[in-house]
Every structure is written in C-alpha cells, then in structure tokens.
Amino acid sequence: MLEGGDLDVLTGDYLAELTMLILGRDLAKNPDLGYAKTFLRQLDGCLATAVDRGVTLVTNAGGVNPTGLASAVRALAEKLGLAARLGRDIRVATVEGDDVRAHPAVPRHALTANAYLGAFGIAECIRAGADVVVTGRVTDASLVIGPAIAHFGWTRDDLDALAGATVAGHVIECGAQATGGNYPFFTELPDGGRRPGFPIAEVEADGSSVITKHPGTGGAVTVETVTAQLLYEVDSPAYRGPDVVAHLDTVRLDADGPDRVRISGVRGSLPPPTLKVGVSTLGGFRNSVTFVLCGLSIEDKAQLVRDQLTSAVGKDGLEFRLARTDHPDPADTESGSALLHVHLKDTDAKRAGRAFSAAAVELALASYPGLTMLGPPGDAAPYGVFEAYAVPQEDVTHTAVLPDGTRVPVPPPAETTTDLAPEAPPQPQTTPRREPTARTPLGAVAGARSGDKGADANLGVWARDDAGYEWLQGFLTVGKLKALLPEAAAVPVERYDLPNLRAVNFVLRGLLGAGGVAASTRFDPQAKALGELLRAKLVEIPVRLVS
C-alpha cells in the first residue's frame, strides 16, 4: 500500500471479539503486552517508508494496551534511526479510555471490557501532527472517520458527512473483502481472485467517497464487490456508531470508472446515548475429538460412542454432532465415512482434559468396528465468553494523548437519541408470477455474505440485476429462509430490505449460541459459510432469470 501509489493515511484494523480475549490473556501474563504484536513486526519493515512518504498511520492494534504499543513504536523508530532522517523524534499519539472494567455495569470477573469509542479522539491526534496514532477499542470505521474529521474540520453536527465516512470505513475495514476477497463470484474476477489488492477510500468533504485500489493490483472494485462488504456483519439498516447512525438503506453505489465505485447519498442521524461494550470472560476449559464412522449402521455406531463417553465422563457439558458425509456404495474410505464431532466444556480442567482424553482413547479397541479418529484429543484449553453490554457515553473518559503527552478530553456528543432503529418491517406480500421455473442453486442469480455479531449471525443476499431483485424480494421471506436453512428455524429471524443495494439482510438472533465465537462448538462458529450454504440450495427460479 505504501509503495503502490499515493496515500494520505494508512489504516490498520487488528481487533475482533476473539482478538480482545487473546490480548487480555496476554496482558494478564505480562503487563508489557496486550497489543497486536504482528503490527509491530510489520511496522519494522515499513515505518521508514511511511515517514519518508508522509503517510499517517492509524491503527487499533493497541488492543488492551495502546500505551504499551506506542512505547514499542517509539523504541522501533529509535532502532531504525528515524530521528536523524526526520530531524525530530517520531510523533506517536494514543487514544485511551475504552477500558471500562471498573464500570458498575460490567461483571467484576471480566478479563476485558472495552467500549467502542468514536473517531473524534483520533482526529485530535492527527490535528496535533501525529505520525502514528495508536488506539485501543474504537469502532472499525473510526479509523477512517477520524482522519476525515481532521482533514475537513467536521463537527458532531455534520451527521451526513460522518455517516458517509462511516460507510466508507465499513467497506475498507476488512481489507481485500472489498476487492474480491471472499467474493461469491470470484471466478469472474480478472485474476480469478488469486491475489486481490487492498481497497482505498477517497473521502470527500461531504462524506461521499470513491472506493478504489492501487493500479496493477489484483481483484476488482465493482458495485458488487462493494455490496458484498457492505452487507457483512450488519444488523438493521440503522448502522449504529458512537458518533452517528448511518442509514444503510440510503446508500447509493455507482460505477465511477475502472476499479472505482462511488458511494453517495448516505444519510446520518443522531447517535445513541450509550456505547457498546465488549466484555470477555474466561468460561472454563474445552476439549474435542472427531470419530470417523465408516460403512453401515452409522447412526448405531454414533449412539454407541455417545453411550460410552457419557458413561465415562458424565453428560454435563458434553456435545455430539453427527455429520453425515458418507455416501452409499462408496468408492473409498473417505467417501464412505461420517464424522462424529464430540466436544466437552467444563470449569474443571482435569475433567475436560485428562478424563475426557483418556475416555476417548480407551474406545480405540472397545467400541464400534473400524474405529478411527481424525486425531487424538489433546489437553484441555481455556475458552472465553463474549458478551455485549452498554454504558452511557458520558461515563467513558475518551482521551486523546497527543505526541507531546498532552491529554485532551473528548466530550461525548451533546445530542443523542434512543429512537434509532425501527423493528423489522412487515414482509412484502406478493403473488408469484405464473411462469416456467427451473430447479437451480440460488447462487446462480444471487450473491451472499454472512458473518457474526456476538451470538447473532447476519446473512445478506443480493440480486445481480433489477429483475432478479424483484423476484428475490418476494421469494426469500423469513419463512422461506427457515425452510431452506433448518438450523435457522429454531431462532428469531428478522429481515430488512435494502432496495438501493438490491439486497435483503437477515439477522438470525442467537444462532451462534451464548458466549460468542470463542465459546462456540459449531462447525462454522462465525457463520462465515452460511451465505454459501444458502446459495447452494436448489430452489425454483424463473427460467427468464437463469437462461
């Protein structure tokens, strides 16, 4: 990114729900850690280039110890001799205040508790001339909004501009996912999706933007690649942030030349009075093993293992999932085998560790015929639980620590509102046209992108043209989704329409189970493959759309 073309700011998003748990454990072991060490290793090879080119670096890699990472960056600059090149010391600033473990709304046993801060602290650091801005937990989009605030002088009243930058930040926060990475139609990309470049947001004074990439890099920037990322890990169309609520149903996407997509029309409204707080706690210990069941009597073999393990270790915390990957009249062992996934979670490390492993291994000569495993069980490993809380914005001491050490308080927004997002609107009642159809995978006419938000999953589906959207909007109701994806039938599902994107977005409440990704034993714990599963389903599609 630094060598491929002009940049003003280079952002780096290193944090996820699971990452915060990992960094919290690092900090508990060593007070000098708690930040993303990979950022520091990467910086070793490019800090000098960024300084030479005058590119400001903004990253949330500070994790749960932004001060520690800032000190490490200064030490790296000294090692690289940058002061002599610059004629001054490198200017490193931090954003602090997200650690709210002491807040009364947060459980006392929390390992980490971090409020999702907004962008105005980052803007203060950049206005003070920082070469590198290190934050803890800010919203992903804040990494883009902050530099735009500093450059254009936006205030909290510039809601539409802030909302536009929020959308730009959301598009580029996951890197190559906006340029063809994880894209359902990857075979159509110029290089087949082999090495997509990283996206660039050219943000303008009114908050509109153009998404592009450096010339000569792989992948592509199209309306559909941008749509795919816009639908990733979103809830209702009212996309909540600490500084503004961006209304995704107002987003307009237009091609603006080769590998250029313009984002415009985004409307913003007042933010909520509270900040989201991600809380990580240690949930206990876990272990797992997968038995391979080959040939006949698959269900009986699985039941035998269930009975034997339950008898050996007890039923509490024990989970079994049978994946019928076997085929009749198989050509080889693999195609004739099913997989029985067994998980155990417990607060007792010995039961989840030695007791479970011993019970599983002892079945090798005393269970079903042909017993084998994908690998032996190991030692018990600790797992974490993620929960989302909310605290009033005014309870958080959002602070910008400037390069000279000056601490600048960042006040919360003066105006907020609790009237943020309507309930999911009623489903449109349409009468299907009587016309010829063909039983075809849904993915032949629709793209999809899915992901996780704590215990919930989202599944965004878009049509490739107007005719496809007209059909999709009437066809893919909540009831139809539950019929196509039986695992969704047991949870509340909301559908939101995004006509400007020719898309519908489903939110599947509680699909991933309590505790979030770190505690999940699902085969697809982050619901990343849920969209592709839906696209593989055979449905009756009008012949005019698939011919």
Side-chain angles (χ1 to χ4, degrees), residues 70 75 96 195 228-229 248 265 277 309 311 369 372 411 421 450 454 475 516:
E96 300 176 358
R195 192 174 175 83
Q229 174 57 23
L248 300 182
V277 176
L309 285 181
S311 175
T372 186
S450 56
F475 170 78

PDB file of all heavy atoms in Angstrom, residues 70 75 96 195 228-229 248 265 277 309 311 369 372 411 421 450 454 475 516:
ATOM      1  N   ALA A  70       2.452   2.100  21.841  1.00  0.00           N
ATOM      2  CA  ALA A  70       3.046   3.391  21.488  1.00  0.00           C
ATOM      3  C   ALA A  70       4.508   3.445  21.922  1.00  0.00           C
ATOM      4  O   ALA A  70       5.378   3.923  21.173  1.00  0.00           O
ATOM      5  CB  ALA A  70       2.250   4.521  22.119  1.00  0.00           C
ATOM      6  N   ALA A  75      10.340   2.982  20.416  1.00  0.00           N
ATOM      7  CA  ALA A  75      11.596   2.232  20.506  1.00  0.00           C
ATOM      8  C   ALA A  75      12.027   1.726  19.132  1.00  0.00           C
ATOM      9  O   ALA A  75      13.221   1.739  18.792  1.00  0.00           O
ATOM     10  CB  ALA A  75      11.434   1.068  21.489  1.00  0.00           C
ATOM     11  N   GLU A  96      -7.180   6.731  24.417  1.00  0.00           N
ATOM     12  CA  GLU A  96      -7.417   5.915  25.599  1.00  0.00           C
ATOM     13  C   GLU A  96      -8.836   6.120  26.118  1.00  0.00           C
ATOM     14  O   GLU A  96      -9.550   7.012  25.653  1.00  0.00           O
ATOM     15  CB  GLU A  96      -6.407   6.277  26.702  1.00  0.00           C
ATOM     16  CG  GLU A  96      -4.955   6.073  26.301  1.00  0.00           C
ATOM     17  CD  GLU A  96      -3.995   6.539  27.382  1.00  0.00           C
ATOM     18  OE1 GLU A  96      -4.482   7.057  28.426  1.00  0.00           O
ATOM     19  OE2 GLU A  96      -2.776   6.411  27.199  1.00  0.00           O
ATOM     20  N   ARG A 195      -5.053 -12.959  -5.961  1.00  0.00           N
ATOM     21  CA  ARG A 195      -4.328 -12.043  -5.082  1.00  0.00           C
ATOM     22  C   ARG A 195      -4.980 -10.658  -5.121  1.00  0.00           C
ATOM     23  O   ARG A 195      -4.443  -9.726  -5.731  1.00  0.00           O
ATOM     24  CB  ARG A 195      -2.854 -11.964  -5.481  1.00  0.00           C
ATOM     25  CG  ARG A 195      -1.987 -11.253  -4.450  1.00  0.00           C
ATOM     26  CD  ARG A 195      -0.507 -11.339  -4.823  1.00  0.00           C
ATOM     27  NE  ARG A 195       0.309 -10.567  -3.916  1.00  0.00           N
ATOM     28  CZ  ARG A 195       0.747 -10.973  -2.732  1.00  0.00           C
ATOM     29  NH1 ARG A 195       0.409 -12.176  -2.313  1.00  0.00           N
ATOM     30  NH2 ARG A 195       1.499 -10.212  -1.973  1.00  0.00           N
ATOM     31  N   ALA A 228     -21.016  -6.614  -1.463  1.00  0.00           N
ATOM     32  CA  ALA A 228     -20.729  -7.782  -0.630  1.00  0.00           C
ATOM     33  C   ALA A 228     -20.184  -7.359   0.729  1.00  0.00           C
ATOM     34  O   ALA A 228     -20.607  -7.873   1.775  1.00  0.00           O
ATOM     35  CB  ALA A 228     -19.744  -8.699  -1.341  1.00  0.00           C
ATOM     36  N   GLN A 229     -19.249  -6.418   0.737  1.00  0.00           N
ATOM     37  CA  GLN A 229     -18.686  -5.984   2.011  1.00  0.00           C
ATOM     38  C   GLN A 229     -19.667  -5.130   2.811  1.00  0.00           C
ATOM     39  O   GLN A 229     -19.697  -5.204   4.039  1.00  0.00           O
ATOM     40  CB  GLN A 229     -17.379  -5.230   1.780  1.00  0.00           C
ATOM     41  CG  GLN A 229     -16.772  -4.616   3.031  1.00  0.00           C
ATOM     42  CD  GLN A 229     -16.498  -5.621   4.140  1.00  0.00           C
ATOM     43  OE1 GLN A 229     -16.355  -6.817   3.893  1.00  0.00           O
ATOM     44  NE2 GLN A 229     -16.438  -5.155   5.370  1.00  0.00           N
ATOM     45  N   LEU A 248     -28.086   2.596   6.192  1.00  0.00           N
ATOM     46  CA  LEU A 248     -27.604   1.831   5.044  1.00  0.00           C
ATOM     47  C   LEU A 248     -28.624   1.759   3.915  1.00  0.00           C
ATOM     48  O   LEU A 248     -28.251   1.510   2.767  1.00  0.00           O
ATOM     49  CB  LEU A 248     -27.214   0.417   5.487  1.00  0.00           C
ATOM     50  CG  LEU A 248     -26.113   0.325   6.557  1.00  0.00           C
ATOM     51  CD1 LEU A 248     -25.801  -1.128   6.865  1.00  0.00           C
ATOM     52  CD2 LEU A 248     -24.852   1.057   6.112  1.00  0.00           C
ATOM     53  N   GLY A 265     -25.068   9.705  -1.121  1.00  0.00           N
ATOM     54  CA  GLY A 265     -26.442   9.720  -0.624  1.00  0.00           C
ATOM     55  C   GLY A 265     -26.641   9.232   0.793  1.00  0.00           C
ATOM     56  O   GLY A 265     -27.786   9.107   1.246  1.00  0.00           O
ATOM     57  N   VAL A 277     -20.169  -2.039  24.743  1.00  0.00           N
ATOM     58  CA  VAL A 277     -19.002  -2.516  25.477  1.00  0.00           C
ATOM     59  C   VAL A 277     -18.864  -4.017  25.222  1.00  0.00           C
ATOM     60  O   VAL A 277     -19.798  -4.786  25.475  1.00  0.00           O
ATOM     61  CB  VAL A 277     -19.130  -2.251  26.989  1.00  0.00           C
ATOM     62  CG1 VAL A 277     -17.940  -2.846  27.741  1.00  0.00           C
ATOM     63  CG2 VAL A 277     -19.225  -0.753  27.256  1.00  0.00           C
ATOM     64  N   LEU A 309     -19.072 -42.624  26.048  1.00  0.00           N
ATOM     65  CA  LEU A 309     -18.439 -41.419  26.590  1.00  0.00           C
ATOM     66  C   LEU A 309     -19.268 -40.799  27.709  1.00  0.00           C
ATOM     67  O   LEU A 309     -18.722 -40.304  28.699  1.00  0.00           O
ATOM     68  CB  LEU A 309     -18.194 -40.399  25.479  1.00  0.00           C
ATOM     69  CG  LEU A 309     -17.037 -40.707  24.533  1.00  0.00           C
ATOM     70  CD1 LEU A 309     -16.895 -39.605  23.482  1.00  0.00           C
ATOM     71  CD2 LEU A 309     -15.723 -40.844  25.304  1.00  0.00           C
ATOM     72  N   SER A 311     -21.178 -42.377  29.751  1.00  0.00           N
ATOM     73  CA  SER A 311     -20.980 -43.236  30.923  1.00  0.00           C
ATOM     74  C   SER A 311     -19.636 -42.955  31.580  1.00  0.00           C
ATOM     75  O   SER A 311     -19.511 -42.995  32.806  1.00  0.00           O
ATOM     76  CB  SER A 311     -21.074 -44.702  30.515  1.00  0.00           C
ATOM     77  OG  SER A 311     -20.783 -45.557  31.604  1.00  0.00           O
ATOM     78  N   PRO A 369     -16.949 -51.084  15.107  1.00  0.00           N
ATOM     79  CA  PRO A 369     -15.971 -51.621  14.152  1.00  0.00           C
ATOM     80  C   PRO A 369     -15.413 -50.534  13.247  1.00  0.00           C
ATOM     81  O   PRO A 369     -16.133 -49.635  12.816  1.00  0.00           O
ATOM     82  CB  PRO A 369     -16.781 -52.640  13.344  1.00  0.00           C
ATOM     83  CG  PRO A 369     -18.198 -52.198  13.477  1.00  0.00           C
ATOM     84  CD  PRO A 369     -18.304 -51.616  14.850  1.00  0.00           C
ATOM     85  N   THR A 372     -11.744 -45.113  14.093  1.00  0.00           N
ATOM     86  CA  THR A 372     -10.566 -44.272  13.942  1.00  0.00           C
ATOM     87  C   THR A 372     -10.979 -42.838  14.224  1.00  0.00           C
ATOM     88  O   THR A 372     -12.174 -42.527  14.298  1.00  0.00           O
ATOM     89  CB  THR A 372      -9.949 -44.390  12.532  1.00  0.00           C
ATOM     90  OG1 THR A 372      -8.725 -43.661  12.475  1.00  0.00           O
ATOM     91  CG2 THR A 372     -10.888 -43.841  11.464  1.00  0.00           C
ATOM     92  N   PRO A 411     -15.163  15.098  24.654  1.00  0.00           N
ATOM     93  CA  PRO A 411     -16.500  15.054  25.254  1.00  0.00           C
ATOM     94  C   PRO A 411     -17.444  14.197  24.415  1.00  0.00           C
ATOM     95  O   PRO A 411     -17.299  14.089  23.191  1.00  0.00           O
ATOM     96  CB  PRO A 411     -16.934  16.515  25.275  1.00  0.00           C
ATOM     97  CG  PRO A 411     -16.128  17.173  24.207  1.00  0.00           C
ATOM     98  CD  PRO A 411     -14.819  16.444  24.157  1.00  0.00           C
ATOM     99  N   ALA A 421     -33.628   2.620  15.560  1.00  0.00           N
ATOM    100  CA  ALA A 421     -33.902   1.633  14.508  1.00  0.00           C
ATOM    101  C   ALA A 421     -35.307   1.074  14.663  1.00  0.00           C
ATOM    102  O   ALA A 421     -35.659   0.578  15.727  1.00  0.00           O
ATOM    103  CB  ALA A 421     -32.886   0.498  14.569  1.00  0.00           C
ATOM    104  N   SER A 450     -22.083 -13.493   4.798  1.00  0.00           N
ATOM    105  CA  SER A 450     -22.574 -13.720   6.152  1.00  0.00           C
ATOM    106  C   SER A 450     -21.449 -13.544   7.157  1.00  0.00           C
ATOM    107  O   SER A 450     -20.268 -13.571   6.806  1.00  0.00           O
ATOM    108  CB  SER A 450     -23.176 -15.128   6.265  1.00  0.00           C
ATOM    109  OG  SER A 450     -22.224 -16.116   5.885  1.00  0.00           O
ATOM    110  N   GLY A 454     -21.437 -11.295  17.938  1.00  0.00           N
ATOM    111  CA  GLY A 454     -21.721 -11.923  19.214  1.00  0.00           C
ATOM    112  C   GLY A 454     -22.439 -13.242  19.001  1.00  0.00           C
ATOM    113  O   GLY A 454     -21.975 -14.115  18.266  1.00  0.00           O
ATOM    114  N   PHE A 475     -39.560 -13.777  -3.021  1.00  0.00           N
ATOM    115  CA  PHE A 475     -39.311 -15.203  -2.794  1.00  0.00           C
ATOM    116  C   PHE A 475     -38.684 -15.477  -1.430  1.00  0.00           C
ATOM    117  O   PHE A 475     -39.131 -16.364  -0.690  1.00  0.00           O
ATOM    118  CB  PHE A 475     -38.396 -15.744  -3.898  1.00  0.00           C
ATOM    119  CG  PHE A 475     -37.882 -17.128  -3.646  1.00  0.00           C
ATOM    120  CD1 PHE A 475     -38.690 -18.236  -3.870  1.00  0.00           C
ATOM    121  CD2 PHE A 475     -36.592 -17.329  -3.167  1.00  0.00           C
ATOM    122  CE1 PHE A 475     -38.219 -19.517  -3.626  1.00  0.00           C
ATOM    123  CE2 PHE A 475     -36.113 -18.603  -2.922  1.00  0.00           C
ATOM    124  CZ  PHE A 475     -36.928 -19.709  -3.151  1.00  0.00           C
ATOM    125  N   GLY A 516     -20.566 -16.291  22.186  1.00  0.00           N
ATOM    126  CA  GLY A 516     -19.835 -15.813  21.024  1.00  0.00           C
ATOM    127  C   GLY A 516     -18.865 -16.837  20.455  1.00  0.00           C
ATOM    128  O   GLY A 516     -18.893 -18.026  20.795  1.00  0.00           O
TER     129      GLY A 516
END
